[in-house]
Amino acid sequence: MNDKEAGLDKLLGDLAAHYNNQNPPAGALDRLKRRLKTESRSLSDNDLDWLAAAGTAGESPPPEPDDEFKS
């Protein structure tokens, strides 16, 4: 592990410790539980729009036809 990775690990550890010492806002756990109950395992319109805007990056182009089938 190099110095940058070690430094990052230390900072992330400090951040995690800081969050562990915080008290959640009043009622936050109940609000989270209510929201998770209403989630439906389907994508929202915003999620679908975002995926559509992402396009086809990373997909391979279709294979070229064999020479004997070209017109």
Side-chain angles (χ1 to χ4, degrees), residues 39-64:
E39 292 294 324
S40 66
R41 293 189 181 255
S42 63
L43 296 174
S44 70
D45 288 341
N46 287 340
D47 294 334
L48 292 172
D49 290 342
W50 182 86
L51 287 171
T56 58
E59 289 184 14
S60 316
E64 290 291 322

